[in-house]
Amino acid sequence: MPKRIFTFRQGDAEKTADAVQALGHKGANLALLASLDAPVPPGFTVGTHAWRETKGAAGDLPQILKTDIGEAIEWLETVTGRRFGGDQRPLLLAVRTSAGAPMPGLAESVLDVGLNDATVDIIAAELDDAAFAYRSYRRFIESFAALVFDADLAEFEDLCDLESERVGWSGEPRTVLEWRMLIGRYHDFLDRELGVLVPQTPLQQLLEVIRASFVSWRSPMAASYRKLHAIPENAGLAVTVHAMIFNERDHKSGRGRAISRDLSTGEARLTGEFALGGRIEAFDDIPETIDLGQLVAGGAAPFPAVFADLAHHVRRIEAHVGDAVEVEFMVGDDALFLMQSRPARRGAGEAVRVAVELVSDGIIEPQDAILRIDPASLDLLLHPTLDRAGEMTVLARGMGASPGAATGEVVFTAERAQALANEDRSVILVRNETYPEDIHGMHVADGVVTIRGGTTSHAAVVARGIGKPCVTGAGSLRINPETGRLHAGDKVLKEGDQITIDGSSGEVIEGAVALIRPSLSGDFAILMEFADTARRMGVRTNAETPHEARAARSFGAEGIGLCRTEHMFFEGDRIQAMREMILAPDEIGRRRALDKLLPIQRSDFIELFEIMAGLPVTIRLLDPPLHEFLPKSDGEIAETAGTLGVDEAVVRQRIAALEEFNPMLGHRGCRLAISYPEIAEMQARAIFEAAIEAGERAGAAVVPEIMVPLVSLRRELDFVKARIDAVAAQVMEERAHRIDYLVGTMIELPRAVVRADTIAEVAEFFSFGTNDLTQTVYGISRDDAANFLSTYVRQGILERDPFQTVDVEGVGEMIAVACEKARSTRGDISLGVCGEQGGDPDSIAFFEETGLDYVSCSPFRVPIARLAAAQSAIRLSRAGRGRARR
Ligand code: PEP
Ligand code: MG
């Protein structure tokens, strides 16, 4: 027969398996503190098993439980030396309800159970403080009536006001007589209005409170909370009953909150507050709290021995739970009581510091420190955040597409962004959506807002790459191109007006909001070292500019997993050479323009190889459709025609010919290399020449990885690889220099997944382009998804945005299938992922399970990925499913 009741007192607690479920989190915590010899008030917990026996019934408690409670009270009377309802030193009790986890809607605590018309006077005499005793009695009647009779507390307030008017006191009664009259009014009111009375027998009071606490499981708020958090209906609650501490009595009593560490340094030093005397509800409300650190260190405390004792117990609890703890305590009659402990609440930076200090103090292992930190919280350490202390007017809410906060003047074009940035002004670039030609504006802007697009839109991908805050899909904004105004509801902004954006929450805010700059501590680096030791998967970065590559290296990237070469064609006169190539009527013309791009590409690659200093660099051949590079506005078309010396009509014709109506599924990826092999050849030549040169300069060979995008047929890859191999042979002969290189492909299309075994016969590596793979598996255009995906998530049709977190059941399954097929024909094939999900902690857990070799993500997500990869490896290995490093 499972036990119904579990007693606890300092140094001793009756044990049970799965204490948190069996005793509720409050009961389990008090039992833990008691077993650690902390000075808890003695008491007992009526466990969830007893609740289940009664089925949380509204009727009377079963006799067997009443008998058990009676016995527990006798035990408590012996331990405390007080009698429940006794005519000397009566025992008073606190009753606290809790389930396995905090749950709104459960019964509030009821204090001073045991007070009645007789014991109140005995307590008054014992404490020599009638007002205190009667105040407690009034509070008890109110909370009893609210819990047991469902009485409205406002009615008691009205009664108080009436009585105060009638008798002439203000605030509270002045004499015992006045108090008795007020209590009499309470009794009369309950009798008259509800036909009930608060029992005068203490045991009856306690049984009623326990019964009503049981029933609170069924409150609508608790029921809907359980539904929301999938908490089983029969989990049940527990009721903890313990002796009252007279902590509010005089200047020598009080309560406080102590934290085992200084959270700003991680150092083991008691901090917190202590408030003396008075009726104390919440620490935050109390102006004259005392700094615990000073109390303990300065020795000037009213009771130094009590605080030395507190420091000792807090240290013990911390060592036991292996984490910084926050303890609520009371001091009464010169004695210390611990009421509850929990992990100390802390910010991201504090969490890192504390975890690392706990390791250096030998309290936890590095692996535990790794598991303590939420990888996503590192974002807060790497980017500025908003100071939310003041009022803010939110103009629009979109998607948090790239974290961090920024303030600046509104501009609507990349050119204006550039012009204002040249004057050292901070700007936020606001566009309907961005195109590759906007990249230079994004680089100089402090932040980017787009009205359309989701979290893998061009703006989002580029902003994450360069570490700029970005909000996408801010659909309630409207740019009026004629007036050059930005409309946000009834607010109208013009160029130059200040706005602030939060790229984590997706808010666009009016005016300049103060920002909090992050500071990276040495502890952050230590945590990252722990993570690197624990993880199996590699972490590379998606980068194409030297700036991004350097940033990624400083964040610990182990190579480049995706260099999107198209991003290299927009700066300066490169775009003109590119346009010349696209507008050329034949191959000869194209080759002439490509000759101009070759040295530019070569020197870009040399720089990347040098920054990456021997680490792998995966360069992807040109991927987007060519129309993306052509001018859009009339002015630009005229300018392009002028620069290239062609007729404007020719430019327009070419634009019309290349126009596509599709969600990026047209003439792009390897299809370009097949239609225009000379483009791929130029890029391959630039890569090989750069690899030779960078290798010679560094005195160590560079092994480039050339990646072919959007392959669905093995023959596509055969075709492109043959061109690449031919160029390699030529360059090696010209330079009389042999180099090794790899040719691989992206897996972004369902057909490529299904044919992964045959494609792997040609490809030396795969990199899953989960942006396109998600787009093509779902048939959802990634640039238009924002319009309806949020509705899907809100309606619960999708749990998460699959462009942010890999859809394990669909896209994930495809990845797993492709990996298996690929390994069946090429056992040692290198497998990575370079879509945006590569930097998402939950997706990383899936990639670890699938056994991918590396993830590649934007530079600012590299630390997040390192930590998430370590956590996934540790969790899998603890579950006995760990993988060896390959
Ligand atoms: C992808 O599709 O996942 C990918 C990395 O390529 P891009 O985003 O450039 O299409
Ligand atoms: Mg792609």
Side-chain angles (χ1 to χ4, degrees), residues 456 461 542 562 564 566-567 620 623 664 668 746 748 768-773 782 834-837:
T456 55
V461 170
N542 295 354
L562 172 64
R564 292 176 163 106
E566 59 271 21
H567 289 179
R620 179 175 77 185
D623 184 1
M664 282 279 284
R668 59 166 287 211
M746 296 191 72
E748 312 180 89
F768 291 95
T770 42
N771 301 332
D772 276 314
L773 191 58
R782 59 198 255 200
C834 62
E836 289 305 302
Q837 297 87 338

Side-chain angles (χ1 to χ4, degrees), residues 9-13 15 29-40 312-321 325 338 341:
R9 60 195 281 200
Q10 180 171 10
D12 188 18
K15 299 221 165 6
N29 183 243
L30 275 167
L32 170 75
L33 296 179
S35 66
L36 293 173
D37 205 23
V40 293
H312 159 78
H313 287 296
V314 169
R315 198 83 44 250
R316 251 184 101 131
I317 299 166
E318 183 192 83
H320 178 80
V321 298
V325 286
L338 265 48
S341 73

Side-chain angles (χ1 to χ4, degrees), residues 366-367 370 524-539 553-558 862-871 873-874 885:
Q367 291 208 343
I370 292 167
F524 180 80
I526 296 175
L527 181 77
M528 285 295 121
E529 277 171 31
F530 292 162
D532 290 347
T533 313
R535 74 186 152 88
R536 178 194 62 83
M537 274 194 298
V539 176
R553 285 285 285 138
S554 74
F555 289 138
E558 297 165 310
V862 165
I864 297 172
R866 287 161 74 194
L867 184 61
Q871 291 185 343
I874 294 168
R885 268 175 197 266

